[in-house]
Amino acid sequence: MTEYKEIKAEILAIGDELLYGQIIDTNSHWISQELDKIGVRVVRRSTVGDSRESILTAFGEAEQRADIILMTGGLGPTNDDLTKPLLAEYFNCSIELVPEALDAVRTFFEKRGRELTPLNKLQAHLPTKCTYVPNELGTAPGMWFNESGKVWMSMPGVPHEMKKLMSDHVLPKIKELFPLPNIYHKVVKTVGIGESWLADLIKDWEKNLPGHIKLAYLPSLGHVKLRLTAFGEDNAKLHDDVEKQIEKVKPLIEKYIYGYNKETLEESIGRLLKQQNKKVALAESCTGGYISHLMTSIAGSSEYFQGSLVPYHNHFKNRILEVKSETLKEFGAVSEEAVIQMSQNIKKMFEADLGLASSGIAGPGGGWAEKPVGTVWIACAMKDKTVTKKLQLTQDRMLNIQLTGVAVLNLLRLCLLNKTE
């Protein structure tokens, strides 16, 4: 198989407003995704403030690491916008008026019935070593440099302006200049197992992956994604190679796999419920309707989602959901006994095939020695049995709600697949 030289890129997001948290840098995330699609590896993403020393240092470091340096921000006409003058300083060139750029800025303002001010005219002055790249959606032009075998592109920080410049000019030019491999990704999504345990299960398989296929672990809240990336010349062969490796690893972790690529856990469960023609109902206490929200966020969920109750107070667990007062008094609402009754009763009340329940101490207060904050009981009632599970989670309220949501959905998935222990 052909060996490809790895093409590396660095992304610099420039502006104090990013460091202060006044604006979230979504640009770098999007650029990374687009570069990944064409086989360019992003080796670093940096946020740099509006400081001459910081920006020049970032330029020098990026040039040492990367073949492609992409910058966003700092292109306005005011004195605090330093990207353009510092690029001219870095490349030891002057800044001069580009008539084509001035025409574009003038047209931009005329179309909007606005006056072109002397300050706005400054945006048509560009470093002499750059190639002018027109910005059809704004007034700050893009600036393309090709110096000493390195490619530099400076773009405005406004997301829709940057995206058009990237799509129309930058990505096509990169593909033209650099010998890039075909690249194929597939993501295997797992739930109910931590990253280290998962890695231990598949360590021998991972060790024997072909050289042109790389594995990345992508953990998130309650989930771990395995991303396989293949590089080569023939995209169809890359697809087949990755699929063969997935078939090899599936017997080791099939219990934990719920989907591939962009499929969510909620979508996976919806698919299973439809396939089995089963309906579900929920009784949520500590999750406060969060799980119902997840399930009903999927289009077509009315085919299998019967409804839910959030009997937060014990009085209504007893009065509406018919959890026995003796159970609540002897064992408490956060108990296996309580969630068994909650799940069974909600199943009956909503004429469902499966009933789900959650009850716990979300925090940050309310816990005690026997039942500390983060103690949660969940249950899934089916036709012939009820499966329960106790969770010991964190001290963070929102995190506990989210983790319980994942756990309940995974319990439902395992019950549907008849894979509960």
Side-chain angles (χ1 to χ4, degrees):
M1 184 162 296
T2 303
E3 291 292 328
Y4 288 90
K5 177 183 179 295
E6 187 175 56
I7 305 301
K8 301 176 182 178
E10 181 150 346
I11 302 168
L12 301 176
I14 299 172
D16 283 342
E17 66 277 9
L18 298 171
L19 291 175
Y20 297 156
Q22 296 167 338
I23 294 177
I24 297 174
D25 176 25
T26 59
N27 287 339
S28 296
H29 177 74
W30 185 87
I31 292 170
S32 293
Q33 289 180 319
E34 296 307 303
L35 291 175
D36 180 69
K37 290 176 185 177
I38 64 171
V40 175
R41 181 185 170 213
V42 176
V43 293
R44 181 166 296 194
R45 293 182 354 196
S46 303
T47 303
V48 187
D50 294 314
S51 154
R52 176 181 177 276
E53 293 74 18
S54 297
I55 294 173
L56 289 176
T57 298
F59 286 171
E61 292 177 352
E63 185 174 13
Q64 294 300 313
R65 280 188 292 262
D67 305 291
I68 302 164
I69 299 96
L70 301 178
M71 298 153 281
T72 61
L75 296 184
T78 56
N79 291 331
D80 62 330
D81 292 301
L82 302 175
T83 303
K84 182 165 58 178
L86 291 180
L87 281 169
E89 180 179 341
Y90 190 79
F91 291 117
N92 192 27
C93 65
S94 60
I95 292 178
E96 296 180 3
L97 176 67
V98 176
E100 185 182 359
L102 180 60
D103 290 342
V105 174
R106 181 181 289 111
T107 301
F108 182 90
F109 281 94
E110 286 177 352
K111 284 183 176 179
R112 288 156 180 78
R114 294 163 58 191
E115 180 184 354
L116 179 63
T117 67
L119 196 61
N120 293 126
K121 289 180 182 178
L122 291 176
Q123 292 190 298
H125 291 72
L126 304 176
T128 54
K129 285 190 177 180
C130 84
T131 299
Y132 160 68
V133 181
N135 176 6
E136 299 171 12
L137 302 179
T139 60
M143 295 177 288
W144 174 278
F145 298 82
N146 198 334
E147 296 290 322
S148 303
K150 307 281 184 173
V151 164
W152 303 66
M153 179 66 182
S154 176
M155 298 171 284
V158 181
H160 71 275
E161 296 180 27
M162 177 277 297
K163 289 178 180 179
K164 184 164 180 59
L165 284 170
M166 278 289 296
S167 300
D168 291 357
H169 299 281
V170 180
L171 295 171
K173 192 69 173 173
I174 289 173
K175 288 190 280 188
E176 178 185 319
L177 288 175
F178 294 96
L180 300 174
N182 284 318
I183 185 169
Y184 176 76
H185 290 299
K186 184 151 185 181
V187 176
V188 181
K189 293 191 165 183
T190 71
V191 66
I193 185 171
E195 181 182 7
S196 59
W197 287 273
L198 182 62
D200 189 58
L201 283 178
I202 64 174
K203 61 180 184 297
D204 293 334
W205 168 81
E206 181 180 357
K207 190 186 304 180
N208 291 304
L209 282 172
H212 67 292
I213 299 179
K214 306 300 180 186
L215 175 68
Y217 293 84
L218 307 173
S220 58
L221 194 64
H223 306 258
V224 181
K225 293 181 283 188
L226 299 174
R227 187 190 67 205
L228 287 91
T229 302
F231 300 87
E233 294 179 331
D234 185 339
N235 206 54
K237 185 177 186 307
L238 297 180
H239 173 276
D240 291 344
D241 290 346
V242 168
E243 291 300 324
K244 287 176 184 176
Q245 292 304 318
I246 291 174
E247 288 305 310
K248 287 182 180 180
V249 78
K250 274 174 67 174
L252 302 174
I253 58 172
E254 195 162 16
K255 176 180 178 180
Y256 306 105
I257 296 173
Y258 68 83
Y260 300 90
N261 294 331
K262 294 184 178 181
E263 185 175 26
T264 66
L265 183 55
E266 303 88 77
E267 289 171 332
S268 172
I269 288 168
R271 174 169 46 79
L272 288 173
L273 287 164
K274 286 181 180 179
Q275 287 173 353
Q276 298 183 22
N277 193 29
K278 290 183 177 177
K279 301 184 186 302
V280 67
L282 276 139
E284 300 188 57
S285 184
C286 65
T287 45
Y290 175 70
I291 307 167
S292 301
H293 159 72
L294 292 177
M295 295 199 71
T296 57
S297 67
I298 305 304
S301 55
S302 59
E303 293 182 41
Y304 51 81
F305 186 79
Q306 296 289 79
S308 66
L309 285 178
V310 184
Y312 214 67
H313 195 283
N314 283 359
H315 173 71
F316 297 102
K317 288 184 179 73
N318 170 242
R319 182 177 172 184
I320 299 176
L321 198 52
E322 299 181 353
V323 176
K324 294 177 181 178
S325 56
E326 296 84 359
T327 299
L328 295 170
K329 184 176 181 180
E330 182 177 355
F331 302 103
V334 182
S335 65
E336 183 177 30
E337 292 79 4
V339 293
I340 287 173
Q341 291 182 35
M342 289 170 68
S343 61
Q344 291 175 347
N345 294 352
I346 199 71
K347 172 180 171 292
K348 180 179 178 181
M349 184 180 296
F350 280 85
E351 301 175 1
D353 301 289
L354 303 105
L356 299 172
S358 66
S359 186
I361 305 167
W368 65 96
E370 292 181 7
K371 294 181 182 179
V373 170
T375 303
V376 178
W377 276 97
I378 62 175
C380 179
M382 295 173 280
K383 181 179 180 180
D384 53 354
K385 66 177 179 177
T386 299
V387 181
T388 63
K389 186 173 183 180
K390 184 181 182 181
L391 311 174
Q392 291 294 165
L393 303 176
T394 75
Q395 297 292 307
D396 183 275
R397 183 179 185 83
M398 196 61 226
L399 190 56
N400 289 339
I401 291 171
Q402 292 170 324
L403 288 171
T404 301
V406 173
V408 169
L409 291 176
N410 190 43
L411 181 60
L412 172 59
R413 181 183 73 88
L414 293 173
C415 287
L416 288 167
L417 296 172
N418 197 28
K419 290 185 177 181
T420 56
E421 296 176 355

